[in-house]
Amino acid sequence: MRITITGKNIELTDGIKKAVEDKLSKLEKYFTPDTDVNVTLSVEKERQKIEVTIPMKGNMIRSEQVSNDMYVSIDLVEEVIERQLRKYRTKLVTKKQNAEAYFTPDFMDADTEEEEVKIVRSKKFGIKPMYPEDACVQMELLGHDFFVFRNAETDEVNVVYKRKGSTYGLIEPEC
């Protein structure tokens, strides 16, 4: 875990840096060694504020705490982040267990009858030539997770799709 500490309107003493590192190092069990932790300490009038941001795969763990004492703020932010991490981990475990329920040995047994594939809806629409970036905009306007289009550059049918982290993917046929 790499902790980056910055200060606004505050002198970062060794004691404050050590307090932040000691508190946040308790959270190392939740992270890989290459995880970046950004900490910003600031003082505005009587308010001692700490902001901690931890970018993770597709998510962001963040907490901001304010008190009259910086050390109290540090303690509070550590508690909040640990609670968020436990909640996130529980959510991942539950999701994994629910996925495993679909792959029970009965389901995977070769003796079970094959289920017939049913197409319940069919659509036809004209495919206009467009660039992948335009297809992404069109997909967003429609509120879909993917969009089929004819690539204006290659004249091939392509698909753009949403990925985690607000990014897009492009599927092109292999020639």
Side-chain angles (χ1 to χ4, degrees):
M1 205 164 80
R2 296 185 300 249
I3 301 173
T4 306
I5 303 171
T6 56
K8 293 180 182 175
N9 301 327
I10 187 173
E11 182 182 333
L12 294 177
T13 64
D14 291 336
I16 290 176
K17 286 181 184 178
K18 182 165 176 30
V20 170
E21 289 170 356
D22 289 347
K23 278 293 180 181
L24 295 180
S25 66
K26 292 178 183 177
L27 306 174
E28 280 186 339
K29 61 186 174 189
Y30 295 104
F31 300 107
T32 59
D34 62 336
T35 302
D36 290 318
V37 178
N38 300 311
V39 180
T40 304
L41 305 170
S42 61
V43 176
E44 298 170 6
K45 297 183 182 174
E46 297 295 317
R47 298 174 37 175
Q48 310 279 322
K49 182 164 102 173
I50 180 171
E51 298 174 49
V52 177
T53 307
I54 307 168
M56 296 172 61
K57 296 178 186 174
N59 288 313
M60 177 104 38
I61 303 292
R62 184 178 187 288
S63 180
E64 179 178 310
Q65 295 298 317
V66 179
S67 72
N68 292 334
D69 182 11
M70 185 59 77
Y71 293 98
V72 172
S73 297
I74 293 168
D75 291 342
L76 292 172
V77 82
E78 185 266 334
E79 291 171 11
V80 170
I81 288 182
E82 187 165 21
R83 189 170 45 247
Q84 288 177 351
L85 289 169
R86 273 192 255 118
K87 184 178 176 183
Y88 178 72
R89 185 174 65 179
T90 303
K91 184 177 167 183
L92 289 178
V93 168
T94 303
K95 189 175 181 180
K96 182 180 177 187
Q97 288 172 347
N98 288 342
E100 287 173 354
Y102 289 107
F103 298 103
T104 60
D106 294 338
F107 178 77
M108 297 172 71
D109 192 9
D111 295 336
T112 59
E113 296 178 24
E114 285 190 32
E115 220 175 277
E116 187 177 325
V117 176
K118 276 189 180 178
I119 297 176
V120 294
R121 187 170 179 196
S122 180
K123 273 187 173 181
K124 290 185 179 184
F125 60 96
I127 299 179
K128 296 182 198 173
M130 61 178 63
Y131 294 98
E133 294 78 14
D134 298 330
C136 290
V137 171
Q138 187 66 36
M139 175 182 62
E140 289 295 333
L141 289 172
L142 293 171
H144 292 170
D145 294 329
F146 68 94
F147 186 77
V148 180
F149 69 102
R150 182 171 301 278
N151 193 322
E153 296 170 336
T154 63
D155 203 37
E156 297 280 344
V157 174
N158 291 178
V159 176
V160 290
Y161 61 95
K162 285 186 185 179
R163 295 175 47 106
K164 291 181 181 176
S166 301
T167 59
Y168 301 97
L170 174 66
I171 299 174
E172 301 176 285
E174 194 173 296
C175 297

